[in-house]
Amino acid sequence: MHKKQLIEHYQDFREALLDWFRRYQRDLPWRNTDNPYYIWVSEVMLQQTQVKKVGDYYEKFISRFPKVEDLAAAPLQDVLKVWEGLGYYARARNLHKAAQVVVNELTGEVPADYTTFRKLPGVGDYSAAAVQSIAFNAPYAAVDGNIKRVLARLFLMEAPINDAKSTKVFQQQADTLLDRNVPGLFNQALMELGAIICRPQSPACLVCPVNLFCGAFDATRQAEFPKRRETKPTPERHLAVGVIYNKAGEVLLTQRQLDGLLGGLWEFPGGELADGETAEVACVRNINEVVNLSVRNVRYLTRVRHAFTHFKSVVDVFQCDYGDGEVVLNGPRDAKWVTVAALRDYPLPRATHKFLEELMNNR
Ligand code: SF4
């Protein structure tokens, strides 16, 4: 069969893609609903997170908050607890805030109107297009990293996918390709293609339903696309934190400010090492600066590593005993003495979970 120039055969392309999607799409829980709120929750969870990780979180979230009113009425801490481990906590905080806007300032229904929905906290171009097209069949093309990769290969697009300046050109291309009769289905089909066939490494071109239309396949240039702008290596931060025990055997947890990285989550006090400082000295100094306590009997527990989007962290964890002082906060929004058994009731960062068991066994 001769290769078809995609630009001349958009309709054939759409049919081939949709036919494949109807037959082979994965059975995912959020595909069995037309409830706009559930579709919205799933799209927020799926941003920057793999499908297999989202499954259980999605089920847990909608059974805990079955209606947008339930989410709006819930304390933020409950929302963060259900989200715990999924990462990018700003998504949960914004979804919670947006649910409150929907219930308190709008009609109580997820807006079936792109402009109103796009203005809600945390809703960007991608999630607005995805939710509006899937839930309401509105003609908006959703463009995320997976879709950019597919488009770059199909059309041999030179624009780097990790450069904000390329956003417009990918959006325009996606708008042109979109099937306006079934935009929600089409967006999902293109996402599915990117997830299981046109994968980042080793795309499965021989079984790809649209290989007949693909510029990269035709030219055997799949490995060259998508193009990327060179980025700086990820910096590493070295931190030291202390699990402080008081006389009652409780430990001190501090809550991070609501905005910013890991906002609203609870953690053990600590901070970064200064130049030339040992981790132990940094632990004692940071505790003093952050919660105004002096500590004694500092014992090394373990080291954990964690990768964030823009940096990696290495965390040395110490146990120590309360020495002197009253808790005065310089940075955190709240602090509590809690029993070790109660730690799991608090939403904690993943890095903390990495040493929780070791802590429980080494008190
Ligand atoms: Fe991707 Fe290969 Fe399909 Fe082209 S033929 S869209 S490179 S999987």
Side-chain angles (χ1 to χ4, degrees):
M1 203 182 299
H2 296 293
K3 173 183 171 287
K4 298 183 179 185
Q5 281 297 319
L6 175 50
I7 241 148
E8 296 160 16
H9 293 277
Y10 279 158
Q11 199 48 38
D12 294 349
F13 172 90
R14 292 171 187 138
E15 281 165 21
L17 179 67
L18 290 168
D19 183 48
W20 167 81
F21 184 63
R22 287 187 179 105
R23 286 195 221 187
Y24 298 113
Q25 63 174 297
R26 289 167 295 175
D27 183 20
L28 303 175
W30 48 89
R31 289 196 177 145
N32 302 320
T33 179
D34 53 10
N35 181 324
Y37 165 61
Y38 293 173
I39 291 166
W40 181 16
V41 170
S42 72
E43 282 303 329
V44 174
M45 288 188 167
L46 285 163
Q47 283 165 31
Q48 291 157 306
T49 310
Q50 289 185 334
V51 164
K52 62 175 189 288
K53 194 170 174 189
V54 168
D56 290 346
Y57 281 95
Y58 169 80
E59 303 276 13
K60 200 161 75 170
F61 196 92
I62 61 169
S63 81
R64 174 74 182 72
F65 312 113
K67 293 192 180 135
V68 71
E69 296 87 354
D70 302 318
L71 178 59
L76 175 62
Q77 181 145 328
D78 292 5
V79 180
L80 291 172
K81 186 65 195 164
V82 177
W83 204 274
E84 186 184 48
L86 198 54
Y88 301 101
Y89 296 90
R91 295 180 300 175
R93 294 194 305 273
N94 280 327
L95 186 59
H96 182 234
K97 246 190 259 168
Q100 291 174 336
V101 174
V102 167
V103 170
N104 301 330
E105 297 170 32
L106 302 173
T107 61
E109 304 283 334
V110 176
D113 158 53
Y114 181 94
T115 313
T116 311
F117 185 72
R118 175 70 178 79
K119 285 187 191 144
L120 292 172
V123 176
D125 291 340
Y126 168 78
S127 35
V131 172
Q132 291 295 311
S133 65
I134 298 169
F136 305 113
N137 213 34
Y140 294 95
V143 181
D144 68 351
N146 278 326
I147 290 186
K148 279 189 202 164
R149 179 175 66 253
V150 176
L151 294 174
R153 288 173 176 164
L154 286 170
F155 295 98
L156 300 177
M157 293 173 75
E158 294 288 337
I161 58 164
N162 58 342
D163 189 342
K165 286 189 216 123
S166 310
T167 306
K168 204 168 160 191
V169 65
F170 282 106
Q171 186 68 53
Q172 282 167 346
Q173 188 58 73
D175 290 344
T176 318
L177 198 56
L178 181 70
D179 188 328
R180 281 157 200 276
N181 295 318
V182 281
L185 205 64
F186 184 85
N187 280 332
Q188 291 182 83
L190 212 50
M191 289 175 206
E192 188 80 339
L193 188 79
I196 62 178
I197 302 279
C198 196
R199 303 171 301 229
Q201 311 299 331
S202 322
C205 299
L206 294 178
V207 294
C208 174
V210 294
N211 58 14
L212 200 60
F213 308 90
C214 178
F217 181 60
D218 186 49
T220 327
R221 294 179 65 195
Q222 298 92 318
E224 288 174 45
F225 292 89
K227 304 281 187 193
R228 289 185 167 277
R229 186 169 52 84
E230 268 189 40
T231 50
K232 292 186 198 139
T234 322
E236 189 172 89
R237 290 188 192 162
H238 192 170
L239 299 111
V241 303
V243 181
I244 312 166
Y245 293 88
N246 65 13
K247 286 205 177 102
E250 296 162 325
V251 296
L252 187 67
L253 275 184
T254 53
Q255 187 184 28
R256 296 177 69 93
Q257 293 293 336
L258 294 184
D259 43 0
L261 185 74
L262 307 173
L265 267 61
W266 294 79
E267 63 185 5
F268 296 108
E272 279 193 66
L273 274 64
D275 279 347
E277 203 177 33
T278 65
E280 183 174 332
V281 170
C283 173
V284 173
R285 175 184 58 77
N286 276 297
I287 286 173
N288 190 258
E289 287 175 13
V290 173
V291 290
N292 191 46
L293 297 183
S294 60
V295 293
R296 54 192 179 78
N297 295 336
V298 181
R299 290 97 64 197
Y300 180 74
L301 177 67
T302 190
R303 168 176 281 192
V304 293
R305 294 173 187 275
H306 192 66
F308 294 93
T309 326
H310 300 299
F311 69 95
K312 293 178 193 159
S313 68
V314 176
V315 186
D316 284 320
V317 186
F318 296 86
Q319 296 185 95
C320 49
D321 297 326
Y322 168 84
D324 198 13
E326 290 275 316
V327 173
V328 178
L329 298 177
N330 175 22
R333 75 187 290 263
D334 198 2
K336 272 184 193 170
W337 291 100
V338 303
T339 63
V340 173
L343 284 173
R344 291 193 197 278
D345 298 338
Y346 288 80
L348 308 169
R350 271 177 87 81
T352 305
H353 274 282
K354 287 181 181 173
F355 64 83
L356 212 50
E357 200 168 327
E358 210 166 338
L359 177 67
M360 305 261 181
N361 295 334
N362 285 284
R363 277 188 270 165

